[in-house]
Amino acid sequence: MEKTDYFRKSKKIIQVGMLKKKIRGELLTCAESPTEFEETPGQTPETDSVISALERNGVNFIGSEVRSKTKNGKPKMSMRIDIPATTPTRTISAVTSMLWEDLVNNPKKDGAGDFINRKKIQCAEKMIRGAFVELYRGLGLLKTYSSLNMVAFIKILKKFDKVSNQQVSGNYLKSVKRSHFISSDKVVRLMDEVESIFTRHFANNDRKKAMKFLRPQHHRDSHMVTFFVGLFTGCFVSLFSVYAILAHLSGLFTPGTEAGYMETVYPVFSAFALLSLHLFMYGCNLFMWKSTRINYNFIFEFTPSTALKYRDAFLICTSLMTAVVGAMVIHLLLRSSGFSPTQVDAIPGFLLLFFIGLLICPFNIFYRPTRYCFLRIIRNIVCSPFYKVLMVDFFMADQLTSQIPLLRHMESTACYFLARSFRTHRYETCKSGRLYRELAYVISFAPYYWRAMQCARRWFDECDPKHLANMGKYVSAMVAAGARITYANQKNELWLVVVLVTSVLATVYQLYWDFVQDWNLLNPKSKNPWLRDDLILKNKSIYYVSIALNLVLRVAWVETVTRFNVGMLESRMLDFFLASLEVIRRGHWNFYRLENEHLNNAGKFRAVNTVPLPFRETDSDG
């Protein structure tokens, strides 16, 4: 966007903000009489000036050219506020408003605008507030850009004087300082004006409160976090060593005892282990993104003051695994001490309930903003066709497609405890039931289905056929997953052929999308052979190794077809190993996916979020 266009749009937003307070009373009156609001004779000139100013700035008053009168001779009108249907609540509200308008207010010949209520006004105010914050951030970037250019000119001229043995920098600097991008104070004045308007209208004249929105402070990294990461890491290593020794001494994994233990303990503890591994990979991603200056907070639209840092991710990971391995040691000690299996085998269930309670805990402890953000994203994924899809939503949905073994473990754990099998120790209740076998398809399909619905919603919002092609990738993955589950239940050659065909097609589809679309690599015309023109990592060989590694890990499904003839313990360990490889592949994929997104933003000069205003825009700057 050119500078003149940016300033013109900035002025429009500021003018709308200055008029917000004047129309607030009229809007609140509209809430009680949704389709019209009346004026007293004394208010007519002021209201007329406000209406004309709003119309010049993109606010559409239906019927404002020919204003009809009420029975008392007072004018009546309606203001259109367009709230994007980004959530089910807003969608339902919009549909309800349209139906109400058609059923109740259509008989009026003048025709009213959209149904305006307090909820819609609050949404509009929130959108305007977000637009002010992004405007202020953009102005700050312009100011920083001007300062950096001035510093660059000074350093270049000093270098020129040194190389040429001439003292000409002073003359050149006079011209530079007189240039518009240095001498103009328009950006500073606009920032001051935005601060004043925001403080007055959105912070009740509390400047400190306003600055929390406009200039959020970054929390400094605490050494206590690093200390606890090291402490919990040492505890985890020690407890795991104790567990391994106790398991060996008690003969836990002998053929006679492995069945009960693997059915009761393995699903819960392996689910926690996979989750911890994913958190560890996410911490590594955060560290690499920060080291390579990838603006992940902007891409994910995280609040910088509450966003999770890599030390925090490592702290959550290590504390989680310390608690899980500690529970495993306690469980093993109680079994060895002669406690009944009915009492001991309930420990994994209590551990699971504890962490679920901690996840939804309303108190401001243990990263509440991050926990609630996670729950909100999961809600958006589950209801994906009805929510506007953001980057963080489909990024998290991609993570879920790599955690299908974790979801299957959660399914077996829920069945084990809800069916009270931990009291009767009848493990076949969950394994042989028809409902359980059918749920296996549902659990395996769900992440791919959610991701496909996100692609459909993005195609509906953006009309880009590439999203339909992406949806086809997840549909093919659903077909391949269903074929593998059926083959696992019905071992015959026909289903083996179906598994091979569907899995090969899905894998080729996924590899193409990984390399060409998500990573933007394999470009034969690139100046970097078969990569892309812009690379963040200096060592190009890392990209070639990453391509080969992603390809190898993508074909790990071959093991599910060529099942080695091993016992239950070895089979479970092999499944856990393959699930861990998929989590590692996903963490490896995450870095290059966000690198490509960051380079696209930089290439298109995107540094602030686009916030649509709730008023219909017109070309009124003329």
Side-chain angles (χ1 to χ4, degrees):
M1 183 183 296
E2 297 181 358
K3 183 166 65 176
T4 55
D5 294 335
Y6 192 93
F7 286 138
R8 187 180 298 119
K9 189 171 183 181
S10 304
K11 289 180 180 178
K12 178 185 288 188
I13 298 175
I14 291 171
Q15 290 169 356
V16 172
M18 294 174 68
L19 293 167
K20 171 182 172 291
K21 189 173 182 180
K22 293 183 180 180
I23 66 171
R24 189 167 186 175
E26 285 84 350
L27 289 178
L28 292 177
T29 306
C30 267
E32 299 181 4
S33 179
T35 58
E36 62 182 35
F37 58 90
E38 300 180 355
E39 303 171 343
T40 59
Q43 294 175 330
T44 302
E46 182 180 357
T47 306
D48 288 342
S49 63
V50 172
I51 292 171
S52 60
L54 285 171
E55 288 176 342
R56 288 197 304 271
N57 287 278
V59 181
N60 186 19
F61 282 86
I62 304 302
S64 59
E65 295 81 4
V66 182
R67 296 174 187 169
S68 57
K69 304 285 185 177
T70 62
K71 294 182 179 179
N72 298 327
K74 300 175 182 178
K76 63 179 181 179
M77 64 211 68
S78 177
M79 181 173 65
R80 184 176 297 280
I81 298 181
D82 296 324
I83 303 296
T86 55
T87 64
T89 303
R90 291 185 182 179
T91 304
I92 295 172
S93 176
V95 174
T96 306
S97 300
M98 293 172 60
L99 293 176
W100 179 263
E101 194 66 38
D102 291 338
L103 295 174
V104 178
N105 297 316
N106 249 1
K108 298 181 180 181
K109 294 182 180 180
D110 55 323
D114 286 349
F115 187 87
I116 300 178
N117 54 21
R118 291 182 185 271
K119 182 79 173 182
K120 183 172 284 191
I121 296 170
Q122 291 172 357
C123 292
E125 289 183 358
K126 185 177 180 181
M127 294 172 67
I128 296 174
R129 183 181 64 187
F132 268 100
V133 172
E134 294 301 325
L135 170 62
Y136 189 83
R137 188 176 301 168
L139 292 172
L141 291 174
L142 280 178
K143 182 181 177 182
T144 304
Y145 177 77
S146 173
S147 302
L148 287 176
N149 273 274
M150 185 62 192
V151 173
F153 271 111
I154 293 174
K155 291 187 175 182
I156 290 171
L157 290 173
K158 284 184 177 180
K159 187 70 174 179
F160 177 79
D161 288 347
K162 183 178 179 180
V163 172
S164 62
N165 293 323
Q166 300 179 12
Q167 300 297 324
V168 297
S169 59
N171 296 329
Y172 284 109
L173 279 177
K174 290 179 181 179
S175 300
V176 172
K177 290 179 179 178
R178 286 196 301 267
S179 62
H180 183 73
F181 84 97
I182 294 297
S183 61
S184 175
D185 62 341
K186 185 177 292 185
V187 173
V188 178
R189 287 189 286 107
L190 280 172
M191 291 181 70
D192 293 339
E193 194 171 358
V194 170
E195 288 182 13
S196 176
I197 295 170
F198 193 92
T199 303
R200 186 166 61 253
H201 296 296
F202 294 99
N204 295 326
N205 292 319
D206 187 349
R207 178 176 173 78
K208 185 177 181 180
K209 179 181 178 181
M211 290 299 104
K212 288 182 179 180
F213 287 96
L214 297 176
R215 297 179 187 174
Q217 297 294 324
H218 295 269
H219 293 296
R220 294 182 179 180
D221 294 334
S222 174
H223 293 295
M224 290 298 295
V225 176
T226 306
F227 168 75
F228 280 112
V229 169
L231 177 64
F232 285 126
T233 302
C235 292
F236 163 69
V237 173
S238 301
L239 288 172
F240 188 79
S241 302
V242 171
Y243 172 78
I245 295 172
L246 291 176
H248 176 71
L249 293 177
S250 61
L252 184 63
F253 297 125
T254 57
T257 59
E258 67 179 25
Y261 189 79
M262 298 304 292
E263 294 293 343
T264 58
V265 175
Y266 170 78
V268 182
F269 291 150
S270 62
F272 280 120
L274 291 174
L275 179 60
S276 299
L277 179 61
H278 213 133
L279 283 171
F280 175 77
M281 295 302 300
Y282 181 63
C284 294
N285 288 145
L286 292 177
F287 175 77
M288 289 298 301
W289 292 332
K290 182 180 179 181
S291 301
T292 53
R293 300 184 177 226
I294 293 176
N295 194 358
Y296 60 91
N297 282 334
F298 170 70
I299 295 174
F300 290 141
E301 299 184 25
F302 287 160
T303 304
S305 59
T306 59
L308 206 67
K309 301 176 178 60
Y310 72 91
R311 288 188 181 90
D312 301 317
F314 289 147
L315 177 61
I316 297 173
C317 169
T318 54
S319 59
L320 176 64
M321 279 310 299
T322 300
V324 171
V325 177
M328 293 172 66
V329 171
I330 294 173
H331 179 269
L332 194 57
L333 288 173
L334 293 178
R335 283 173 61 102
S336 303
S337 301
F339 283 83
S340 64
T342 302
Q343 297 173 333
V344 174
D345 290 346
I347 291 179
F350 287 126
L351 183 67
L352 182 62
L353 290 177
F354 171 76
F355 281 110
I356 292 176
L358 182 62
L359 179 64
I360 63 177
C361 176
F363 301 109
N364 192 14
I365 57 173
F366 205 70
Y367 304 103
R368 185 180 67 175
T370 301
R371 291 188 284 110
Y372 278 23
C373 178
F374 173 76
L375 293 174
R376 184 171 62 252
I377 293 171
I378 294 298
R379 178 205 63 188
N380 295 351
I381 292 173
V382 174
C383 306
S384 52
F386 307 105
Y387 283 91
K388 183 179 180 180
V389 183
L390 304 177
M391 173 72 185
V392 67
D393 295 332
F394 67 77
F395 188 84
M396 178 60 73
D398 279 326
Q399 312 304 306
L400 292 180
T401 59
S402 296
Q403 284 288 13
I404 293 178
L406 183 147
L407 299 177
R408 292 291 305 275
H409 293 327
M410 297 296 291
E411 174 201 9
S412 60
T413 301
C415 177
Y416 178 73
F417 286 102
L418 292 178
R420 294 183 176 272
S421 296
F422 68 96
R423 292 184 179 275
T424 61
H425 283 250
R426 294 179 179 176
Y427 313 123
E428 67 278 0
T429 303
C430 292
K431 297 298 181 182
S432 60
R434 179 182 176 184
L435 180 61
Y436 180 86
R437 292 198 303 268
E438 293 176 350
L439 280 176
Y441 288 95
V442 176
I443 297 297
S444 300
F445 288 169
Y448 298 118
Y449 168 79
W450 292 330
R451 192 65 186 88
M453 290 299 100
Q454 287 181 334
C455 294
R457 173 61 189 257
R458 294 189 70 190
W459 171 77
F460 180 80
D461 290 338
E462 303 172 19
C463 298
D464 189 349
K466 184 174 70 174
H467 298 308
L468 291 180
N470 196 15
M471 183 175 70
K473 180 185 72 172
Y474 294 103
V475 172
S476 67
M478 289 174 62
V479 174
R484 291 174 201 166
I485 296 175
T486 306
Y487 174 72
N489 296 329
Q490 304 176 16
K491 297 280 187 178
N492 57 59
E493 294 182 358
L494 175 61
W495 278 109
L496 177 60
V497 174
V498 173
V499 167
L500 290 175
V501 172
T502 56
S503 297
V504 168
L505 291 177
T507 302
V508 172
Y509 204 157
Q510 291 164 352
L511 287 172
Y512 165 79
W513 207 267
D514 285 345
F515 299 144
V516 178
Q517 299 295 333
D518 291 335
W519 294 1
N520 201 19
L521 300 177
L522 299 184
N523 183 4
K525 299 180 180 180
S526 173
K527 63 182 181 181
N528 302 308
W530 294 100
L531 299 178
R532 67 170 101 87
D533 292 336
D534 298 322
L535 301 174
I536 288 183
L537 300 179
K538 296 180 180 180
N539 191 349
K540 298 178 184 179
S541 60
I542 296 178
Y543 291 91
Y544 298 109
V545 173
S546 297
I547 291 174
L549 181 62
N550 189 71
L551 186 140
V552 171
L553 295 179
R554 273 288 189 188
V555 298
W557 57 266
V558 174
E559 190 279 331
T560 61
V561 179
T562 61
R563 277 283 183 185
F564 301 109
N565 191 13
V566 294
M568 179 183 294
L569 174 63
E570 291 79 4
S571 176
R572 291 296 183 94
M573 292 297 106
L574 185 59
D575 290 341
F576 178 77
F577 177 72
L578 293 175
S580 300
L581 287 181
E582 173 59 21
V583 172
I584 293 172
R585 187 202 67 80
R586 180 60 63 182
H588 170 257
W589 176 91
N590 288 343
F591 173 80
Y592 297 100
R593 176 65 182 89
L594 231 67
E595 178 200 23
N596 184 38
E597 188 72 19
H598 175 78
L599 292 174
N600 288 337
N601 289 336
K604 297 179 181 178
F605 306 103
R606 286 196 295 253
V608 293
N609 295 318
T610 301
V611 181
L613 292 177
F615 306 117
R616 182 170 294 178
E617 294 185 4
T618 58
D619 296 329
S620 56
D621 279 330

